[in-house]
Coordinates of all heavy atoms in Angstrom, one line a residue:
M83 N -118.7 32.3 79.0 CA -117.3 32.4 78.7 C -116.7 33.5 79.5 O -117.3 34.6 79.6 CB -117.0 32.5 77.3 CG -115.6 32.8 76.8 SD -115.3 32.1 75.3 CE -113.7 31.7 75.6
Y84 N -115.5 33.4 80.0 CA -114.8 34.5 80.7 C -113.4 34.4 80.3 O -112.8 33.4 79.8 CB -114.9 34.4 82.2 CG -114.3 33.3 82.8 CD1 -113.0 33.4 83.3 CD2 -114.9 32.0 82.9 CE1 -112.3 32.3 83.9 CE2 -114.2 30.9 83.5 CZ -112.9 31.1 83.9 OH -112.3 30.0 84.5
M85 N -112.7 35.6 80.4 CA -111.3 35.6 80.0 C -110.6 36.8 80.9 O -111.2 37.8 81.1 CB -111.2 36.1 78.5 CG -109.7 35.9 78.1 SD -109.6 36.5 76.2 CE -110.8 35.4 75.5
R86 N -109.4 36.5 81.3 CA -108.6 37.5 82.1 C -108.2 38.6 81.1 O -108.1 38.4 80.0 CB -107.4 36.8 82.6 CG -107.5 35.8 83.7 CD -106.3 35.0 84.0 NE -105.2 35.8 84.2 CZ -104.5 35.9 85.3 NH1 -104.9 35.1 86.4 NH2 -103.4 36.7 85.4
I87 N -108.0 39.7 81.7 CA -107.7 41.0 80.9 C -106.4 40.8 80.2 O -106.2 41.1 79.1 CB -107.7 42.3 81.8 CG1 -107.5 43.5 80.9 CG2 -106.7 42.3 82.9 CD1 -108.7 44.0 80.2
D88 N -105.4 40.2 81.0 CA -104.0 40.1 80.3 C -104.2 39.1 79.1 O -103.6 39.4 78.0 CB -102.9 39.6 81.2 CG -103.3 38.3 82.0 OD1 -104.5 37.8 81.9 OD2 -102.4 37.8 82.6
K89 N -104.9 38.1 79.2 CA -105.0 37.3 78.0 C -106.0 37.9 76.9 O -105.6 37.7 75.8 CB -105.8 35.9 78.5 CG -105.9 34.9 77.3 CD -106.4 33.6 77.8 CE -106.3 32.6 76.6 NZ -106.7 31.2 77.0
F90 N -107.0 38.7 77.2 CA -107.8 39.3 76.3 C -106.9 40.2 75.4 O -107.0 40.3 74.2 CB -108.9 40.1 76.9 CG -109.7 40.9 75.8 CD1 -110.7 40.3 75.1 CD2 -109.5 42.3 75.7 CE1 -111.4 41.0 74.2 CE2 -110.1 43.0 74.8 CZ -111.1 42.3 74.0
L91 N -106.0 41.1 76.1 CA -105.2 42.0 75.5 C -104.2 41.2 74.5 O -103.9 41.8 73.4 CB -104.3 42.9 76.4 CG -105.3 43.8 77.3 CD1 -104.4 44.5 78.4 CD2 -105.9 44.9 76.4
K92 N -103.7 40.1 74.8 CA -102.8 39.3 74.0 C -103.6 38.7 72.8 O -103.3 38.9 71.7 CB -102.1 38.2 74.8 CG -101.0 37.5 74.0 CD -101.3 36.1 74.1 CE -100.3 35.2 73.3 NZ -100.8 34.7 72.1
V93 N -104.8 38.1 73.0 CA -105.5 37.4 72.0 C -106.1 38.4 71.0 O -106.1 38.1 69.8 CB -106.7 36.5 72.6 CG1 -107.7 36.1 71.5 CG2 -106.1 35.4 73.4
S94 N -106.4 39.6 71.4 CA -106.9 40.6 70.6 C -105.9 41.3 69.9 O -106.0 42.2 69.0 CB -107.8 41.6 71.4 OG -107.0 42.3 72.3
R95 N -104.5 41.0 70.2 CA -103.3 41.5 69.6 C -103.2 43.1 69.8 O -102.6 43.8 69.1 CB -103.3 41.2 68.1 CG -103.1 39.7 67.9 CD -103.1 39.4 66.4 NE -102.6 38.1 66.1 CZ -103.2 36.9 66.4 NH1 -104.2 36.9 67.2 NH2 -102.7 35.8 66.1
L96 N -103.8 43.5 70.9 CA -103.6 44.9 71.4 C -102.2 45.1 72.0 O -101.6 46.2 71.9 CB -104.7 45.3 72.3 CG -106.0 45.5 71.6 CD1 -107.2 45.4 72.6 CD2 -106.1 46.7 70.7
I97 N -101.8 44.0 72.7 CA -100.4 44.0 73.3 C -99.8 42.7 72.9 O -100.5 41.6 72.9 CB -100.5 44.1 74.9 CG1 -101.1 45.5 75.3 CG2 -99.2 43.9 75.5 CD1 -101.2 45.8 76.7
K98 N -98.6 42.7 72.5 CA -97.9 41.6 71.8 C -97.8 40.3 72.7 O -98.0 39.2 72.2 CB -96.6 42.0 71.4 CG -95.9 41.1 70.4 CD -94.7 41.6 69.7 CE -94.2 40.8 68.6 NZ -93.1 41.4 67.9
R99 N -97.5 40.5 74.0 CA -97.2 39.3 74.8 C -98.0 39.5 76.2 O -98.3 40.6 76.7 CB -95.8 39.3 75.2 CG -94.9 38.8 74.1 CD -93.5 38.6 74.5 NE -92.6 38.6 73.3 CZ -91.9 39.6 72.9 NH1 -91.9 40.7 73.6 NH2 -91.1 39.5 71.9
R100 N -98.5 38.4 76.7 CA -99.3 38.3 77.9 C -98.5 38.9 79.1 O -99.1 39.5 79.9 CB -99.8 36.9 78.1 CG -100.8 36.9 79.2 CD -101.4 35.5 79.2 NE -102.3 35.3 80.4 CZ -103.1 34.3 80.6 NH1 -103.0 33.2 79.8 NH2 -103.9 34.2 81.6
T101 N -97.2 38.6 79.1 CA -96.5 39.1 80.3 C -96.4 40.6 80.3 O -96.4 41.3 81.3 CB -95.0 38.5 80.3 OG1 -94.4 38.7 79.0 CG2 -95.0 37.0 80.6
I102 N -96.2 41.2 79.1 CA -96.2 42.6 78.9 C -97.6 43.2 79.3 O -97.6 44.2 80.1 CB -95.9 43.1 77.5 CG1 -94.4 42.6 77.3 CG2 -96.0 44.6 77.3 CD1 -94.0 42.8 75.8
A103 N -98.7 42.5 79.0 CA -100.0 43.0 79.4 C -100.2 43.0 80.9 O -100.7 43.9 81.5 CB -101.1 42.1 78.7
A104 N -99.6 41.9 81.6 CA -99.8 41.8 83.0 C -98.9 42.9 83.6 O -99.4 43.4 84.6 CB -99.3 40.4 83.5
E105 N -97.7 43.1 83.1 CA -97.0 44.2 83.7 C -97.6 45.6 83.5 O -97.5 46.4 84.4 CB -95.6 44.2 83.0 CG -94.7 43.0 83.3 CD -93.4 42.9 82.5 OE1 -93.3 43.8 81.6 OE2 -92.7 41.9 82.7
A106 N -98.3 45.8 82.3 CA -99.0 47.1 82.2 C -100.2 47.2 83.2 O -100.4 48.2 83.7 CB -99.6 47.1 80.8
C107 N -100.8 46.1 83.6 CA -101.9 46.1 84.5 C -101.3 46.5 85.9 O -101.9 47.3 86.6 CB -102.6 44.8 84.6 SG -103.7 44.4 83.2
D108 N -100.3 45.8 86.3 CA -99.7 46.1 87.5 C -99.1 47.4 87.6 O -99.1 48.0 88.8 CB -98.4 45.0 87.7 CG -99.0 43.6 88.1 OD1 -100.1 43.4 88.6 OD2 -98.2 42.6 87.8
A109 N -98.8 48.0 86.6 CA -98.2 49.4 86.6 C -99.3 50.4 86.6 O -99.1 51.7 86.6 CB -97.3 49.7 85.4
G110 N -100.6 49.9 86.6 CA -101.8 51.0 86.5 C -102.1 51.5 85.2 O -102.7 52.6 85.1
K111 N -101.6 50.9 84.2 CA -101.7 51.5 82.8 C -103.0 50.9 82.1 O -103.3 51.4 80.9 CB -100.5 51.3 82.0 CG -99.2 51.9 82.6 CD -98.3 52.3 81.7 CE -97.1 52.9 82.3 NZ -97.2 54.4 82.5
I112 N -103.7 50.0 82.6 CA -104.9 49.4 82.0 C -106.1 49.7 82.9 O -106.1 49.3 84.1 CB -104.8 47.9 81.8 CG1 -103.4 47.5 81.1 CG2 -106.0 47.4 81.1 CD1 -103.3 48.0 79.6
H113 N -107.0 50.4 82.4 CA -108.2 50.7 83.2 C -109.5 50.1 82.5 O -109.6 50.2 81.3 CB -108.5 52.2 83.2 CG -107.5 52.9 84.1 ND1 -106.1 53.1 83.8 CD2 -107.5 53.5 85.3 CE1 -105.5 53.7 84.7 NE2 -106.3 54.0 85.7
V114 N -110.4 49.6 83.3 CA -111.6 49.0 82.8 C -112.8 49.7 83.5 O -112.8 49.8 84.7 CB -111.8 47.4 83.0 CG1 -113.1 47.0 82.6 CG2 -110.6 46.7 82.4
N115 N -113.7 50.3 82.7 CA -114.8 51.1 83.3 C -114.3 52.2 84.3 O -114.9 52.3 85.3 CB -115.8 50.1 83.9 CG -116.4 49.1 82.9 OD1 -116.5 49.5 81.7 ND2 -116.6 48.0 83.3
G116 N -113.2 52.8 84.0 CA -112.7 53.9 84.8 C -111.8 53.5 86.0 O -111.4 54.3 86.8
R117 N -111.6 52.2 86.2 CA -110.8 51.7 87.4 C -109.6 51.0 86.9 O -109.7 50.2 85.9 CB -111.6 50.8 88.2 CG -112.8 51.5 88.9 CD -113.6 50.7 89.8 NE -112.8 49.5 90.3 CZ -113.4 48.4 90.7 NH1 -114.7 48.2 90.7 NH2 -112.6 47.4 91.2
A118 N -108.4 51.2 87.5 CA -107.2 50.5 87.3 C -107.5 49.0 87.7 O -108.2 48.7 88.7 CB -106.1 51.0 88.0
V119 N -107.1 48.0 86.9 CA -107.3 46.6 87.1 C -106.0 45.8 87.3 O -105.0 46.2 86.7 CB -108.2 46.0 86.1 CG1 -109.6 46.6 86.2 CG2 -107.7 46.1 84.7
K120 N -106.1 44.7 87.9 CA -105.0 43.7 87.9 C -105.1 42.8 86.8 O -106.2 42.6 86.2 CB -105.0 43.0 89.3 CG -104.8 43.9 90.5 CD -103.5 44.4 90.5 CE -103.2 45.3 91.7 NZ -101.8 46.0 91.7
P121 N -104.0 42.0 86.5 CA -104.1 41.0 85.4 C -105.2 40.0 85.5 O -105.6 39.4 84.3 CB -102.7 40.3 85.4 CG -101.8 41.3 86.2 CD -102.7 42.0 87.1
A122 N -105.6 39.7 86.6 CA -106.6 38.6 86.8 C -108.1 39.1 86.6 O -109.1 38.3 86.7 CB -106.5 37.9 88.2
Y123 N -108.2 40.4 86.3 CA -109.6 40.9 86.2 C -110.3 40.2 85.0 O -109.7 39.9 84.0 CB -109.6 42.4 85.8 CG -110.8 43.0 85.5 CD1 -111.7 43.5 86.5 CD2 -111.4 43.1 84.2 CE1 -113.0 43.9 86.3 CE2 -112.6 43.6 83.9 CZ -113.4 44.0 84.9 OH -114.6 44.6 84.6
V124 N -111.6 39.8 85.3 CA -112.3 39.0 84.3 C -113.1 40.0 83.4 O -113.9 40.9 83.8 CB -113.4 38.0 85.0 CG1 -114.2 37.4 83.9 CG2 -112.6 37.0 85.9
V125 N -112.8 40.0 82.1 CA -113.4 40.8 81.1 C -114.8 40.3 80.8 O -115.1 39.2 80.6 CB -112.5 40.8 79.8 CG1 -113.2 41.7 78.7 CG2 -111.1 41.3 80.1
K126 N -115.7 41.3 80.7 CA -117.1 41.0 80.3 C -117.5 41.8 79.0 O -116.9 42.8 78.7 CB -118.0 41.4 81.4 CG -117.8 40.6 82.7 CD -118.7 41.1 83.8 CE -118.0 42.1 84.7 NZ -116.7 42.0 85.1
L127 N -118.5 41.2 78.3 CA -118.9 42.0 77.0 C -119.4 43.4 77.5 O -120.1 43.6 78.6 CB -120.0 41.2 76.4 CG -119.6 39.8 75.8 CD1 -120.9 39.2 75.2 CD2 -118.6 40.0 74.8
G128 N -119.0 44.3 76.7 CA -119.5 45.7 77.0 C -118.6 46.5 77.9 O -118.7 47.7 78.0
D129 N -117.5 45.9 78.4 CA -116.5 46.6 79.3 C -115.8 47.7 78.3 O -115.5 47.4 77.2 CB -115.4 45.7 79.9 CG -115.9 45.0 81.1 OD1 -116.9 45.3 81.7 OD2 -115.2 44.0 81.6
V130 N -115.5 48.7 79.0 CA -114.7 49.9 78.3 C -113.4 49.8 78.9 O -113.1 50.0 80.0 CB -115.4 51.3 78.5 CG1 -114.6 52.3 77.9 CG2 -116.8 51.3 78.1
I131 N -112.4 49.5 78.0 CA -111.0 49.3 78.4 C -110.2 50.5 77.8 O -110.4 50.9 76.7 CB -110.4 48.0 77.8 CG1 -111.2 46.8 78.3 CG2 -108.9 47.9 78.1 CD1 -110.7 45.5 77.6
E132 N -109.3 51.1 78.7 CA -108.5 52.2 78.4 C -107.0 51.7 78.5 O -106.7 51.3 79.6 CB -108.8 53.4 79.2 CG -108.0 54.6 78.6 CD -108.2 55.9 79.4 OE1 -109.2 55.9 80.2 OE2 -107.6 56.9 79.1
I133 N -106.3 51.8 77.5 CA -104.9 51.4 77.5 C -104.1 52.6 77.4 O -104.1 53.4 76.5 CB -104.6 50.5 76.3 CG1 -105.5 49.2 76.4 CG2 -103.1 50.0 76.3 CD1 -105.3 48.4 75.0
R134 N -103.3 52.8 78.5 CA -102.5 54.1 78.6 C -101.0 53.8 78.4 O -100.2 54.2 79.3 CB -102.8 54.7 80.0 CG -104.2 55.1 80.2 CD -104.4 55.7 81.5 NE -105.9 56.1 81.7 CZ -106.4 56.6 82.8 NH1 -105.6 56.8 83.9 NH2 -107.7 56.9 82.9
L135 N -100.7 53.2 77.3 CA -99.3 53.0 76.9 C -99.0 53.9 75.7 O -99.6 53.7 74.7 CB -99.0 51.6 76.6 CG -99.2 50.5 77.7 CD1 -99.2 49.1 77.1 CD2 -98.1 50.7 78.7
G136 N -98.2 54.9 75.9 CA -98.0 55.8 74.8 C -99.3 56.6 74.5 O -99.8 57.3 75.5
T137 N -99.8 56.6 73.3 CA -101.1 57.2 73.0 C -102.3 56.4 73.6 O -102.4 55.2 73.3 CB -101.3 57.3 71.5 OG1 -100.1 57.9 70.9 CG2 -102.5 58.1 71.2
P138 N -103.0 57.0 74.4 CA -104.2 56.3 75.0 C -105.2 55.7 74.0 O -105.5 56.5 73.1 CB -104.8 57.3 76.0 CG -103.8 58.4 76.2 CD -103.0 58.4 74.9
I139 N -105.7 54.6 74.2 CA -106.7 53.9 73.3 C -107.8 53.5 74.2 O -107.6 52.9 75.3 CB -106.0 52.7 72.6 CG1 -104.9 53.1 71.8 CG2 -107.2 52.0 71.8 CD1 -104.2 51.9 71.2
T140 N -109.1 53.9 73.7 CA -110.2 53.4 74.5 C -111.0 52.4 73.6 O -111.2 52.8 72.4 CB -111.0 54.6 74.9 OG1 -110.3 55.5 75.7 CG2 -112.3 54.1 75.7
L141 N -111.4 51.3 74.1 CA -112.2 50.4 73.3 C -113.2 49.7 74.1 O -113.3 49.7 75.3 CB -111.2 49.4 72.7 CG -110.4 48.6 73.6 CD1 -110.9 47.3 73.9 CD2 -108.9 48.6 73.1
V142 N -114.2 49.1 73.3 CA -115.3 48.4 74.0 C -115.2 46.9 73.7 O -115.0 46.6 72.5 CB -116.7 48.9 73.6 CG1 -117.8 48.1 74.2 CG2 -116.8 50.4 73.8
V143 N -115.4 46.0 74.6 CA -115.3 44.6 74.3 C -116.6 44.1 73.6 O -117.7 44.4 74.1 CB -115.1 43.8 75.6 CG1 -115.0 42.3 75.4 CG2 -113.9 44.2 76.3
K144 N -116.4 43.6 72.4 CA -117.5 43.0 71.6 C -117.7 41.6 71.7 O -118.8 41.1 71.4 CB -117.4 43.5 70.2 CG -117.5 45.0 70.0 CD -118.9 45.4 70.3 CE -119.1 47.0 70.1 NZ -120.4 47.3 70.6
S145 N -116.6 40.9 71.8 CA -116.7 39.4 71.8 C -115.4 38.9 72.6 O -114.5 39.5 72.8 CB -116.6 38.9 70.3 OG -116.5 37.6 70.2
L146 N -115.7 37.6 73.0 CA -114.5 36.9 73.8 C -114.3 35.6 73.0 O -115.2 34.8 72.7 CB -115.0 36.6 75.1 CG -115.2 37.9 76.1 CD1 -115.7 37.4 77.5 CD2 -114.0 38.7 76.3
N147 N -113.0 35.4 72.6 CA -112.7 34.2 71.9 C -111.3 33.9 72.3 O -110.3 34.6 72.0 CB -112.8 34.4 70.3 CG -112.4 33.2 69.6 OD1 -112.0 32.1 70.1 ND2 -112.7 33.3 68.3
D148 N -111.1 32.7 72.9 CA -109.7 32.2 73.3 C -108.6 32.1 72.2 O -107.5 32.3 72.5 CB -109.8 30.8 74.0 CG -110.3 30.9 75.4 OD1 -110.6 32.1 76.0 OD2 -110.3 30.0 76.2
K149 N -109.2 31.7 71.1 CA -108.3 31.4 70.0 C -108.5 32.2 68.7 O -108.7 31.6 67.7 CB -108.3 29.9 69.7 CG -107.8 29.1 70.9 CD -108.0 27.6 70.7 CE -107.5 26.9 72.0 NZ -108.2 25.7 72.2
A150 N -108.7 33.4 68.9 CA -108.9 34.3 67.7 C -107.7 34.3 66.8 O -106.6 34.5 67.2 CB -109.3 35.7 68.1
S151 N -108.0 34.2 65.5 CA -106.9 34.2 64.5 C -106.6 35.7 64.3 O -107.2 36.6 64.8 CB -107.4 33.6 63.2 OG -108.4 34.5 62.6
K152 N -105.5 35.9 63.5 CA -105.1 37.3 63.2 C -106.2 38.1 62.5 O -106.4 39.2 62.8 CB -103.9 37.1 62.3 CG -103.2 38.5 62.0 CD -101.9 38.2 61.3 CE -101.5 39.2 60.3 NZ -100.2 39.0 59.6
E153 N -107.0 37.4 61.7 CA -108.1 38.1 61.0 C -109.3 38.4 61.9 O -110.0 39.4 61.8 CB -108.5 37.2 59.8 CG -107.6 37.1 58.7 CD -106.4 36.2 59.0 OE1 -106.6 35.2 59.8 OE2 -105.3 36.4 58.4
E154 N -109.4 37.5 62.9 CA -110.7 37.6 63.8 C -110.3 38.6 64.9 O -111.2 39.1 65.6 CB -110.9 36.3 64.4 CG -111.5 35.3 63.5 CD -111.7 33.9 64.1 OE1 -110.8 33.6 65.0 OE2 -112.6 33.2 63.7
A155 N -109.1 38.8 65.2 CA -108.7 39.7 66.4 C -109.3 41.0 66.4 O -109.9 41.5 67.5 CB -107.1 39.9 66.5
P156 N -109.4 41.8 65.3 CA -110.1 43.1 65.4 C -111.6 43.1 65.7 O -112.2 44.0 66.0 CB -109.8 43.7 64.0 CG -108.6 43.0 63.4 CD -108.8 41.6 64.1
T157 N -112.3 41.9 65.5 CA -113.6 41.8 65.8 C -114.0 41.6 67.2 O -115.2 41.7 67.7 CB -114.3 40.6 65.0 OG1 -113.8 39.4 65.6 CG2 -114.0 40.7 63.5
L158 N -112.9 41.4 68.1 CA -113.2 41.3 69.5 C -113.5 42.6 70.2 O -113.9 42.6 71.3 CB -112.0 40.7 70.2 CG -111.6 39.2 69.7 CD1 -110.3 38.8 70.4 CD2 -112.7 38.3 69.9
Y159 N -113.1 43.8 69.6 CA -113.4 45.0 70.2 C -113.7 46.1 69.2 O -113.6 45.8 67.9 CB -112.1 45.5 70.9 CG -110.8 45.5 70.0 CD1 -110.5 46.7 69.4 CD2 -110.1 44.5 69.8 CE1 -109.4 46.8 68.5 CE2 -109.0 44.5 68.9 CZ -108.7 45.7 68.3 OH -107.6 45.7 67.4
E160 N -114.2 47.2 69.7 CA -114.5 48.4 68.8 C -113.8 49.6 69.5 O -114.0 49.9 70.6 CB -116.0 48.5 68.9 CG -116.5 49.8 68.1 CD -118.0 49.9 68.2 OE1 -118.7 49.0 67.7 OE2 -118.5 51.0 68.7
I161 N -113.0 50.3 68.7 CA -112.2 51.4 69.2 C -113.3 52.6 69.3 O -114.0 52.9 68.4 CB -111.1 51.8 68.3 CG1 -110.1 50.6 68.3 CG2 -110.4 53.1 68.7 CD1 -108.9 50.8 67.6
R162 N -113.2 53.3 70.5 CA -113.9 54.6 70.7 C -113.0 55.7 70.6 O -111.8 55.7 70.9 CB -114.5 54.6 72.1 CG -115.7 53.8 72.2 CD -116.5 54.2 73.5 NE -117.7 53.5 73.6 CZ -118.3 53.4 74.8 NH1 -117.8 54.0 75.9 NH2 -119.4 52.7 74.9
S163 N -113.5 56.8 70.1 CA -112.7 58.0 69.9 C -113.0 59.0 71.0 O -113.9 58.9 71.8 CB -112.9 58.7 68.6 OG -114.3 58.9 68.3

């Protein structure tokens, strides 16, 4: 299974809308494994994502699920401090 970064950010409810996630990628505010990525970047298990919108958040991808419910969304990632 694979998923684009913009879709992952939306499904995991880290960013409210996919278009906003895509704009954040285009603006260089989303980094995966230390590199800025475009919205079409394919997320893999174990990827380290850094979201630099406001307070920076770093997380690790734990699962990929196209249709995660509100309750399942936090299980898709683990926040790193």
Side-chain angles (χ1 to χ4, degrees):
M83 168 153 217
Y84 68 93
M85 189 182 305
R86 290 168 50 116
I87 185 80
D88 56 348
K89 185 170 183 179
F90 176 80
L91 293 171
K92 187 232 181 248
V93 169
S94 63
R95 291 176 167 68
L96 291 163
I97 296 181
K98 195 169 187 173
R99 292 188 195 97
R100 189 168 175 178
T101 54
I102 294 171
E105 289 169 4
C107 289
D108 287 333
K111 301 206 179 274
I112 308 296
H113 289 69
V114 178
N115 301 326
R117 292 182 25 206
V119 294
K120 296 294 180 189
Y123 176 83
V124 177
V125 178
K126 295 173 271 317
L127 295 178
D129 276 350
V130 177
I131 300 174
E132 186 177 354
I133 303 170
R134 298 178 181 178
L135 295 171
T137 306
I139 299 170
T140 303
L141 54 103
V142 179
V143 177
K144 291 292 181 187
S145 176
L146 297 173
N147 182 353
D148 277 3
K149 298 174 180 147
S151 68
K152 187 169 145 180
E153 293 77 26
E154 293 172 328
T157 66
L158 299 178
Y159 58 90
E160 177 182 301
I161 295 180
R162 279 200 180 160
S163 49

